[in-house]
Amino acid sequence: MPGRRARKSAQQSPTRAPADPEVECAIQFRRIGDKLNFRQKLLNLISKLFRSGT
């Protein structure tokens, strides 16, 4: 559509040179840890909201 902008995630990121396998592995572990941390915080918030007695 003419008036709409593309989403940020739809834009292509510039290609980067392949790094060392150790660096790539560390980046992947960091992303996984960030996702798990967010999920845990979200579950804690939901449990606080629905916990009875408080």
Side-chain angles (χ1 to χ4, degrees):
M1 296 177 80
R4 295 184 67 183
R5 293 183 182 174
R7 291 184 183 172
K8 264 191 170 180
S9 62
Q11 295 174 351
Q12 292 293 327
S13 60
T15 57
R16 58 187 176 108
D20 294 332
E22 294 87 6
V23 173
E24 290 295 325
C25 185
I27 291 170
Q28 291 297 323
F29 276 132
R30 177 64 186 256
R31 288 181 183 157
I32 291 169
D34 288 344
K35 288 179 184 177
L36 290 175
N37 187 30
F38 174 74
R39 184 177 293 170
Q40 187 63 44
K41 286 185 177 184
L42 186 63
L43 287 173
N44 288 342
L45 177 66
I46 291 171
S47 66
K48 283 182 183 179
L49 290 174
F50 290 107
R51 188 179 302 152
S52 62
T54 56

